[in-house]
Amino acid sequence: MNLEQIYKDCGAFLEGHFLLSSGKHSGFYLQSAKVLENPLLANKLCEELAAIIEEHGLEFDSICSPALGGILAGYELARACKKRFIFTERVNSVMTLRRGFEVKKGEKFIICEDIITTGGSALESANIIQSLGGEVVGFAALANRGICKVKNLTNSTRKDNAKLPENLPLFTLGNFEFEVYEAANCPLCKQGSTAIKPGSRGN
């Protein structure tokens, strides 16, 4: 599966000057919503991801995603795995579990995102699940930005700014390794352009 070509074909592989959710800047952005707007393609991708997880023998009961970006990917993965799905969301900038969702003591979860960069949002969701008595056994995403180590990719390494726990596996369909800059040291800013938060101007 050529994941990069799929993103390009869907108009989801963007070039410009972007402000990422981590606060860092990049000249590239993956707009997974453009991939997941096609239910048949979303199903195909998540069936593939489910097969990878199954091959590694990971046992789990449910899937949880952080809103907003992870919801479609997590829901489709849960459908492919025939598991329950819930999501966390931010309330006043704090990740929270709402809407009547419950976590049973000892319930095993995979945390699913559309894209994993440092893994910060996924880790926040994991912490919520664990605080409610659940157990997080792994992470999953359509793609990894090359910062966190991926269990099913042999050439994947962990960078210093990765936030996901080293003792838990991350499964993805592929790696996208783009340069990411601290805002104070962004060469695009120094060239005079302004970073745009994806989605704020129609992208």
Side-chain angles (χ1 to χ4, degrees):
M1 175 180 290
N2 188 334
L3 192 64
E4 181 174 323
Q5 192 59 52
I6 289 172
Y7 269 74
K8 287 180 176 178
D9 290 345
C10 292
F13 190 104
L14 308 180
E15 296 186 46
H17 184 187
F18 302 103
L19 172 62
L20 307 179
S21 59
S22 63
K24 300 181 188 301
H25 292 196
S26 178
F28 299 93
Y29 185 76
L30 302 172
Q31 184 57 278
S32 295
K34 291 292 294 176
V35 175
L36 296 169
E37 72 178 352
N38 182 332
L40 294 179
L41 178 56
N43 176 258
K44 178 181 177 182
L45 293 173
C46 290
E47 288 277 2
E48 175 102 3
L49 187 55
I52 290 169
I53 295 170
E54 184 177 3
E55 285 172 10
H56 283 79
L58 190 66
E59 295 185 1
F60 61 101
D61 305 304
S62 304
I63 290 174
C64 177
S65 291
L68 182 64
I71 289 181
L72 290 177
Y75 186 86
E76 284 297 331
L77 181 60
R79 186 207 301 266
C81 296
K82 298 180 174 58
K83 303 293 185 180
R84 183 171 81 100
F85 173 75
I86 63 175
F87 62 87
T88 60
E89 57 193 302
R90 294 188 191 282
V91 179
N92 298 323
S93 300
V94 178
M95 195 68 83
T96 308
L97 189 69
R98 304 172 67 200
R99 304 178 190 274
F101 290 140
E102 296 180 353
V103 175
K104 297 177 182 177
K105 186 174 181 179
E107 187 175 3
K108 295 181 178 181
F109 280 85
I110 285 179
I111 306 298
C112 181
E113 274 272 36
D114 54 347
I115 303 291
I116 289 285
T117 302
T118 63
S121 294
L123 183 60
E124 287 181 72
S125 288
N127 289 339
I128 291 293
I129 294 299
Q130 291 169 333
S131 73
L132 296 171
E135 179 185 355
V136 175
V137 297
F139 297 85
L142 297 183
N144 177 49
R145 286 288 301 263
I147 294 174
C148 297
K149 181 176 175 60
V150 178
K151 176 75 172 178
N152 57 289
L153 298 179
T154 56
N155 61 343
S156 175
T157 58
R158 178 184 173 89
K159 305 295 194 301
D160 290 341
N161 55 334
K163 295 181 179 178
L164 295 185
E166 292 188 66
N167 64 322
L168 294 179
L170 166 63
F171 302 98
T172 80
L173 298 176
N175 259 335
F176 288 91
E177 297 203 37
F178 304 141
E179 286 288 343
V180 176
Y181 311 104
E182 296 289 346
N185 298 313
C186 175
L188 301 170
C189 287
K190 292 176 181 178
Q191 292 170 9
S193 68
T194 301
I196 297 170
K197 188 172 183 179
S200 64
R201 296 188 185 177
N203 61 348

